[in-house]
Amino acid sequence: MARYITITLDKRGVTCRARLLDEDAPLTCDAVWDVLPQSGDAYHAKYARNEVYTLIPRITAAPRRENPTVTPIPGDVCLFDFEPWEIGNSAYGYEPGSEAHAAQGATDLAIFYGRNNLLLNGDVGWVPGNVFAAIEEGLPELAAACNDLWMRGVEGETMSFARA
């Protein structure tokens, strides 16, 4: 039986529904499912292009690599696992005290809403993400809201993941 999650940009009131890819990423799906619901500040990617994400406390049960990609497509939902030293650099712009500066590292839950994404960071090189879900409902509305984040800023926006 398929499992689903909802992903919401809370301030903008936009929600999509994604199907977990249990056959392709069973360990990642279970690790995420077990910690839901989660919510945090929304960020629009600087490097990856059409990505919006939130940082949550590190999901240590998640595998480092499972169903990885460096070229996510529209509708992909990915998990990135970061050690503390990987994203705590002040050049990334995360506020002191945010999940990015947590001693245990952080988990990045991300959605991709458009084409031509490339997960390449100038500081560290390729940054593969585990594709663990696919957005099946609400992607056009979510993409419009994500473009609004890009053009008008993310201040005050939060992103929530929950079981559907």
Side-chain angles (χ1 to χ4, degrees):
M1 181 181 211
R3 295 188 289 177
Y4 292 88
I5 60 173
T6 58
I7 305 161
T8 303
L9 290 172
D10 301 305
K11 182 177 174 182
R12 284 165 175 77
V14 177
T15 298
C16 68
R17 183 176 160 169
R19 179 179 45 84
L20 294 184
L21 302 176
D22 283 303
E23 290 184 18
D24 298 324
L27 299 174
T28 305
C29 289
D30 285 345
V32 171
W33 186 260
D34 288 346
V35 301
L36 295 180
Q38 290 288 330
S39 184
D41 291 337
Y43 299 96
H44 196 290
K46 289 181 181 180
Y47 304 105
R49 193 165 179 157
N50 301 299
E51 173 191 2
V52 172
Y53 64 96
T54 191
L55 298 172
I56 64 170
R58 191 168 189 193
I59 304 174
T60 56
R64 186 77 174 153
R65 298 282 178 264
E66 184 181 48
N67 197 31
T69 189
V70 293
T71 56
I73 62 172
D76 277 352
V77 183
C78 294
L79 175 145
F80 299 88
D81 178 62
F82 291 110
E83 298 287 340
W85 58 268
E86 289 180 291
I87 59 172
N89 182 333
S90 61
Y92 294 134
Y94 299 116
E95 294 292 327
S98 73
E99 287 301 328
H101 297 282
Q104 77 276 7
T107 293
D108 170 334
L109 296 179
I111 57 99
F112 292 85
Y113 65 90
R115 298 183 57 201
N116 301 320
N117 303 296
L118 187 61
L119 303 178
L120 181 61
N121 179 305
D123 292 338
V124 297
W126 298 107
V127 184
N130 295 355
V131 182
F132 72 92
I135 297 172
E136 294 185 343
E137 297 174 19
L139 184 57
E141 297 82 6
L142 184 67
C146 290
N147 275 318
D148 187 61
L149 285 172
W150 177 250
M151 297 304 294
R152 290 176 181 72
V154 298
E155 189 171 358
E157 182 65 84
T158 55
M159 187 175 201
S160 297
F161 288 74
R163 295 178 184 184

